[in-house]
Amino acid sequence: MLVDARIQAFLDYFNQLSNSNLSSTQAIYHKEVQFIDPVHQIQGREQLISYLEHGYQRLNYARFTAEQAAVTGNQGFLSWQMCLSHPAIGKGKEITVHGCSALRWQDDQIIYHRDYYDLTEMVYQHIPVVSWLTGKVRQKMADK
């Protein structure tokens, strides 16, 4: 798949990200970035770095693969698959999460980043009681 250079830089950044290289965030994210995901809403690069530092503290690894991407002007969209391992999720077993990112650039840096993904796929289905409960809810919804 041919990918816009800015999307490729975004993928490269996250595929190389660790607590030891968070300073690279300054090259890709605008100082006034707005970051939103299903758990947090963050304003500013320094808050984003703190969020990533916390998130990557115990993470064994996370790898992102692009599925589809589109860029028009200073706006982009990327659907991705993330394979990750975290000791607090599924006992460290690798899990796969599908998601997408909406991006906007200003001055060649990301000024807006919103991630969409299913928290059930990422976390809840790996917690035994919660997994059972969400499974029952899905089953009820499918029956209707």
Side-chain angles (χ1 to χ4, degrees), residues 4 6-7 69-78 101-106 109-112:
D4 180 271
R6 293 173 294 184
I7 294 284
V71 174
T72 303
N74 283 325
Q75 296 186 47
F77 170 83
L78 171 69
S101 298
L103 304 166
R104 283 195 295 254
W105 291 271
Q106 180 179 311
Q109 291 184 306
I110 297 168
I111 187 78
Y112 176 84

Side-chain angles (χ1 to χ4, degrees), residues 52-110:
L52 293 171
E53 184 177 51
H54 176 75
Y56 277 75
Q57 201 166 42
R58 295 182 51 216
L59 186 70
N60 295 329
Y61 62 84
R63 291 186 308 271
F64 291 84
T65 304
E67 293 183 335
Q68 294 180 346
V71 174
T72 303
N74 283 325
Q75 296 186 47
F77 170 83
L78 171 69
S79 65
W80 43 258
Q81 178 177 302
M82 174 177 58
C83 295
L84 69 100
S85 170
H86 191 288
I89 302 172
K91 298 179 182 174
K93 179 185 86 174
E94 181 174 285
I95 63 169
T96 301
V97 177
H98 297 85
C100 57
S101 298
L103 304 166
R104 283 195 295 254
W105 291 271
Q106 180 179 311
D107 303 323
D108 292 322
Q109 291 184 306
I110 297 168

Side-chain angles (χ1 to χ4, degrees), residues 8-98:
Q8 188 61 55
F10 174 77
L11 278 169
D12 292 346
Y13 166 79
F14 276 99
N15 280 325
Q16 297 168 13
L17 189 61
S18 72
N19 267 347
S20 64
N21 66 359
L22 284 167
S23 61
S24 64
T25 305
Q26 294 181 19
I28 194 164
Y29 281 98
H30 192 279
K31 68 180 181 174
E32 300 298 326
V33 65
Q34 180 181 19
F35 175 89
I36 304 167
D37 72 8
V39 181
H40 293 88
Q41 184 165 339
I42 294 167
Q43 187 67 44
R45 185 171 54 211
E46 293 309 312
Q47 285 187 358
L48 177 59
I49 290 171
S50 294
Y51 173 66
L52 293 171
E53 184 177 51
H54 176 75
Y56 277 75
Q57 201 166 42
R58 295 182 51 216
L59 186 70
N60 295 329
Y61 62 84
R63 291 186 308 271
F64 291 84
T65 304
E67 293 183 335
Q68 294 180 346
V71 174
T72 303
N74 283 325
Q75 296 186 47
F77 170 83
L78 171 69
S79 65
W80 43 258
Q81 178 177 302
M82 174 177 58
C83 295
L84 69 100
S85 170
H86 191 288
I89 302 172
K91 298 179 182 174
K93 179 185 86 174
E94 181 174 285
I95 63 169
T96 301
V97 177
H98 297 85

